Amino acid sequence: MLRILLWISILVVNSDAAKKLFIIPPTSTEINTEMTIYCKASGGEAEFQWFKPNGEEISGNDDDLRVEPVDEETSKLTIDNIQLKHNGVYKCKSTFEDNQEKVASISISVTKKISITNTDTYKEFLEGSNAVLSCNATGIPAPDIIWLHDRLDVTKKNDDRIKVISNRYLQINGIRKTDSGTYTCKAQIKQRNEELSRDFSVVVNVPPTAQIQKEKNIIAGPNKNLTLICLVNGQPQPTITWKKNEKPLMMDTSKYSFNSDKSELNIRGIEKSDEGNYTCIAANKIGEASDKTWLNISVMPKVMLVETAVVMPGQNIDIACKATGDPLPTINFSRNGKTLKSDEKKNADGTTIASLPIKNMNPSDAGAYTCSATSWAGRDSKTIQVITIPSTPVNVMVIPGPASLKINFSGLLDGGAPIVSYTLQWRLKGQNNWESTTLKAGEPLRISGLKSYEKYEVRVSASNTAGQSKFSEITTAQTKALPGEPDKPVISSEGTVEGNSYNISFQQLEDGGFPIQHYIVRYHAVSGNKDVKELMLDPEAKFVILEDLEWSTEYEVEIRAVNNRGESKPSIYNFNMPQELKSVSQKKGMGIGAIVAIVMVILLVLLIAVDTACYYTNHCGMMMCIAVNVFGKRPPGAKQHDFEGGSRFTNEVKLQGLNLPRGSVSKQLNGAQCEMTCDKAPLTRFEKLPHKGENGSSSFTEA
């Protein structure tokens, strides 16, 4: 325990340089302890007297005050059990042998260490009530009290609900759960630097609350689980129990399970039977609370439909589809993504039935039909395969081969089931009896072992699991020779376009050991009209001309060589016809030649105009050269002198000793040197002729 500083005032009176008296203060003035004060004289022996604060001399008979000599120069005052009544100023008086007296005094203040007497440091309060914390701290002098909450001064929280009242108790109005925690009462006496603390644990009890998080659109399913969460609050922590339809819900590991505090109820494999009223109950020592929720379990639609139905052509069928679910679903039929019209009926037993009629069955009606059941809970669908026999093969094309025929066709409807086989029948043209073979689907449709160069009639039918189709119309084809056919012709170079014809050159490298009898040329447009045209060429042919072709069209050509053993494989060649080129007479407006001629005439006129302008203005240019050198004419305004009386101005003229006139330009014209002179500039001094005056003197004048 910290002690309060003792203020000691020692007063020494009647002192002189030889005789002195002073008091040694006690080591402790703690209440209920023994205190000793020493009075010591210096300068000689003395007799001592002690006086109480009220001025009475202390005698040896006082109850708790004792005066005892220590030696000739020292006396002591002992207080056996110091109390508050002993506060005050005590005096010590010494009388020396020369009767000189000295007096010293000391002020005694009794102290008491801080103590806190509270024993109940755990406090519980109900949320919303007014709470008071008391701190019974004592000490002399009385200590100051400071309250802390989680080590923070409560007076600095700026919370009007919390305040220290007059008796230094802490009052919390409308206590909250957040006010829980550790509160510290700190008592301190600052002048003694002494303090003492006591912690109080405050718990705010809160009545329980319970709230179930609502679940919506719960759909049943064997792999679907659900967790109901109950949000619980309260102090002490509430215990949680669950009920279903007012009956306690016990843990069942196969169906129900809880988390550690039972705030979460897990339901496995949601079924329609799990629908009902669920209650969460939270309870503690303060009270009990509960919340309820109704689980509405929906069931996804489920479709019941047979997988296949076999129907012969011309028959009628009603496809029935049944569906269950909660809520009752709506049924729709569709085929190839297109919804079909059907009749629907909802029954009291919780089912929906729809019927789709098909009248006068034909292969185009065969295929997959989908029944879909839909509700907000989900969707389910199943498909029925409606099967009938395949359609009759059409567009049959028989391709001749060496003593064989290959059959191709298109436009076959499989009747809703995969084709399993094809039946081929053939006979020589003019005969009645058919020969037949059956080939599995996927095998080449080829008839072998026939006679070469014979015409055969051929027909074909298809079969699936429902039966065999009708035979196709009869197609006639002639077989080719046996193996030993020549090699295919080699196309030697790119063809050439001649009008709307195309010329293709080829050569035959190998004839297979038998002379070429002829060439077969087949060609057709790649797109648009694909009619195949055929030409037969002589064995000596080296080129073929395809005539009457369409402009801006791509063509494909096959050239085959034929000998008495058969025909070769084709040489295939593709080419593009250009756009049609129209003649000049067919075009509107003038042609390129006319435009060029007009441009040249314009340029010539411009040249003549410029040259003429130069001739009349600057006396230069082509016209100047021709006028002077060919015709001997002087241009208008030209400056010249006829040295020989009217002679022409030629390239031989010399002016005042100059070879060429000023401003002239030499130019070659028809092999002769000519001068193109510009005389517009004034003559120089040396170009002027001398003029004789009246007195016969000479002067220069302009020529």
Side-chain angles (χ1 to χ4, degrees):
M1 187 185 332
L2 297 177
R3 298 182 177 181
I4 301 177
L5 295 177
L6 174 67
W7 177 84
I8 302 173
S9 175
I10 301 175
L11 178 63
V12 179
V13 296
N14 297 325
S15 60
D16 57 28
K19 309 295 183 180
K20 292 182 180 181
L21 182 66
F22 56 89
I23 293 177
I24 300 175
T27 59
S28 173
T29 59
E30 177 72 18
I31 195 169
N32 297 326
T33 62
E34 183 182 274
M35 182 187 72
T36 301
I37 304 173
Y38 291 91
C39 184
K40 187 173 181 64
S42 63
E45 296 180 358
E47 293 182 357
F48 295 92
Q49 292 176 290
W50 289 88
F51 297 92
K52 296 179 181 180
N54 59 7
E56 294 181 1
E57 183 179 356
I58 300 174
S59 64
N61 296 326
D62 285 343
D63 295 336
D64 49 4
L65 300 178
R66 290 180 291 110
V67 176
E68 298 176 277
V70 178
D71 53 30
E72 289 79 1
E73 296 180 352
T74 306
S75 175
K76 67 177 180 179
L77 170 64
T78 301
I79 304 177
D80 292 330
N81 186 15
I82 189 169
Q83 298 294 324
L84 292 176
K85 66 181 181 179
H86 297 128
N87 282 337
V89 178
Y90 291 82
K91 294 181 179 180
C92 172
K93 180 180 179 182
S94 63
T95 303
F96 292 93
E97 292 179 347
D98 57 359
N99 293 323
Q100 188 177 4
E101 294 181 350
K102 300 290 183 179
V103 177
S105 63
I106 183 172
S107 179
I108 299 298
S109 295
V110 178
T111 63
K112 181 182 179 182
K113 294 181 179 180
I114 300 173
S115 65
I116 299 176
T117 59
N118 295 71
T119 57
D120 185 8
T121 59
Y122 179 81
K123 300 289 185 179
E124 289 189 12
F125 301 98
L126 183 62
E127 184 181 41
S129 63
N130 295 332
V132 176
L133 296 178
S134 62
C135 181
N136 299 324
T138 59
I140 300 176
D144 296 325
I145 302 297
I146 297 175
W147 285 94
L148 305 176
H149 180 208
D150 294 334
R151 302 184 181 276
L152 295 176
D153 191 338
V154 296
T155 60
K156 296 180 180 180
K157 283 190 172 185
N158 295 324
D159 192 339
D160 295 338
R161 300 178 304 110
I162 303 174
K163 58 185 177 180
V164 179
I165 56 181
S166 59
N167 55 3
R168 300 183 298 178
Y169 288 179
L170 179 66
Q171 180 173 307
I172 306 173
N173 296 325
I175 194 168
R176 303 168 184 169
K177 187 176 181 179
T178 55
D179 296 327
S180 300
T182 299
Y183 287 80
T184 301
C185 170
K186 184 164 70 174
Q188 59 183 9
I189 301 175
K190 293 182 179 179
Q191 56 265 42
R192 285 208 308 262
N193 196 24
E194 180 183 353
E195 69 177 32
L196 181 64
S197 298
R198 180 67 53 85
D199 290 337
F200 296 86
S201 180
V202 174
V203 175
V204 179
N205 291 325
V206 180
T209 60
Q211 182 181 8
I212 298 176
Q213 290 186 345
K214 309 303 180 183
E215 296 290 336
K216 296 180 179 180
N217 302 333
I218 305 170
I219 301 173
N223 298 321
K224 294 189 176 182
N225 303 324
L226 173 67
T227 299
L228 287 179
I229 299 176
C230 185
L231 302 178
V232 173
N233 190 19
Q235 183 64 37
Q237 182 65 33
T239 58
I240 301 174
T241 56
W242 290 84
K243 289 183 179 181
K244 178 187 176 183
N245 298 330
E246 304 303 326
K247 294 182 180 180
L249 195 61
M250 307 303 294
M251 180 177 290
D252 179 359
T253 55
S254 62
K255 189 65 178 178
Y256 304 110
S257 62
F258 305 97
N259 65 341
S260 58
D261 62 356
K262 292 189 175 182
S263 62
E264 295 182 3
L265 169 62
N266 302 307
I267 306 174
R268 296 186 180 90
I270 297 297
E271 300 172 332
K272 185 65 177 177
S273 59
D274 293 322
E275 191 172 79
N277 196 2
Y278 288 79
T279 305
C280 170
I281 303 171
N284 62 11
K285 66 181 182 180
I286 307 302
E288 181 178 291
S290 64
D291 189 27
K292 295 181 179 181
T293 186
W294 176 268
L295 286 189
N296 185 22
I297 308 296
S298 300
V299 181
M300 289 184 61
K302 183 177 180 181
V303 173
M304 290 163 280
L305 182 67
V306 296
E307 295 182 354
T308 59
V310 178
V311 187
M312 290 296 103
Q315 293 182 346
N316 300 331
I317 183 175
D318 285 332
I319 302 175
C321 180
K322 183 178 181 180
T324 60
D326 186 9
L328 283 176
T330 299
I331 294 179
N332 289 303
F333 278 96
S334 63
R335 183 188 181 198
N336 298 328
K338 182 178 180 181
T339 302
L340 305 176
K341 185 177 181 181
S342 60
D343 298 327
E344 182 185 80
K345 180 181 179 182
K346 298 185 184 299
N347 299 322
D349 61 355
T351 62
T352 303
I353 297 178
S355 177
L356 176 67
I358 301 177
K359 307 294 184 180
N360 191 19
M361 184 70 185
N362 63 70
S364 62
D365 296 325
Y369 289 79
T370 300
C371 173
S372 302
T374 307
S375 72
W376 70 263
R379 181 179 182 274
D380 187 31
S381 64
K382 285 188 177 180
T383 299
I384 180 174
Q385 197 72 23
V386 178
I387 301 173
T388 189
I389 63 174
S391 65
T392 302
V394 295
N395 300 325
V396 177
M397 182 168 54
V398 180
I399 303 173
S404 64
L405 297 173
K406 182 180 179 181
I407 293 90
N408 288 336
F409 57 87
S410 62
L412 178 68
L413 300 177
D414 62 9
I419 301 298
V420 296
S421 64
Y422 295 95
T423 300
L424 305 180
Q425 288 187 343
W426 67 94
R427 66 187 178 187
L428 285 170
K429 189 173 183 180
Q431 293 187 357
N432 296 324
N433 297 327
W434 292 95
E435 294 185 61
S436 178
T437 185
T438 300
L439 302 174
K440 292 182 179 179
E443 294 182 352
L445 301 182
R446 185 184 299 274
I447 305 172
S448 303
L450 303 177
K451 296 179 181 181
S452 299
Y453 291 109
E454 292 289 346
K455 289 187 177 181
Y456 285 86
E457 294 179 338
V458 180
R459 64 182 184 178
V460 61
S461 71
S463 299
N464 62 10
T465 55
Q468 182 178 349
S469 72
K470 295 180 180 180
F471 278 97
S472 65
E473 293 183 358
I474 296 174
T475 303
T476 302
Q478 182 175 333
T479 58
K480 296 181 180 181
L482 294 172
E485 73 259 14
D487 195 7
K488 63 182 180 180
V490 177
I491 298 174
S492 56
S493 62
E494 287 192 25
T496 57
V497 179
E498 298 175 4
N500 64 339
S501 300
Y502 198 89
N503 190 332
I504 303 173
S505 299
F506 63 91
Q507 57 180 330
Q508 186 67 36
L509 300 180
E510 296 290 340
D511 60 7
F514 299 91
I516 300 299
Q517 295 178 342
H518 59 270
Y519 293 96
I520 298 176
V521 179
R522 296 187 180 94
Y523 62 98
H524 64 89
V526 174
S527 60
N529 185 3
K530 296 184 179 181
D531 291 342
V532 178
K533 297 181 180 181
E534 185 174 302
L535 299 175
M536 184 175 293
L537 306 179
D538 294 333
E540 295 80 19
K542 300 299 181 183
F543 62 91
V544 61
I545 299 177
L546 308 179
E547 299 178 338
D548 298 326
L549 302 178
E550 296 292 334
W551 298 103
S552 302
T553 304
E554 182 182 2
Y555 283 85
E556 183 179 280
V557 182
E558 292 183 4
I559 304 177
R560 300 173 186 262
V562 180
N563 62 12
N564 61 2
R565 302 297 291 176
E567 67 181 36
S568 70
K569 294 181 180 178
S571 290
I572 299 175
Y573 179 79
N574 286 68
F575 66 91
N576 287 289
M577 288 296 292
Q579 292 183 355
E580 182 180 2
L581 297 176
K582 297 182 179 180
S583 63
V584 175
S585 61
Q586 294 174 329
K587 295 184 178 178
K588 295 182 179 180
M590 60 181 64
I592 297 177
I595 296 175
V596 171
I598 291 174
V599 172
M600 293 185 66
V601 170
I602 293 173
L603 292 176
L604 182 59
V605 171
L606 289 175
L607 180 61
I608 294 173
V610 172
D611 195 70
T612 303
C614 290
Y615 175 76
Y616 283 101
T617 57
N618 296 327
H619 311 305
C620 60
M622 188 64 68
M623 292 183 65
M624 176 68 180
C625 182
I626 294 171
V628 172
N629 292 283
V630 178
F631 300 104
K633 293 183 178 182
R634 183 175 62 182
K639 301 176 182 68
Q640 69 175 11
H641 292 278
D642 294 333
F643 294 99
E644 296 180 1
S647 62
R648 291 188 299 176
F649 187 57
T650 67
N651 60 341
E652 298 295 327
V653 176
K654 308 295 182 181
L655 296 179
Q656 298 295 328
L658 298 177
N659 291 330
L660 295 175
R662 177 179 177 271
S664 65
V665 179
S666 296
K667 185 172 183 67
Q668 197 78 15
L669 179 63
N670 296 326
Q673 183 75 20
C674 67
E675 294 172 6
M676 299 175 67
T677 306
C678 295
D679 290 335
K680 189 173 183 179
L683 294 178
T684 64
R685 178 183 175 211
F686 299 102
E687 295 173 322
K688 297 180 180 180
L689 297 177
H691 175 70
K692 290 184 179 183
E694 294 178 359
N695 56 3
S697 62
S698 299
S699 63
F700 284 96
T701 61
E702 292 184 359

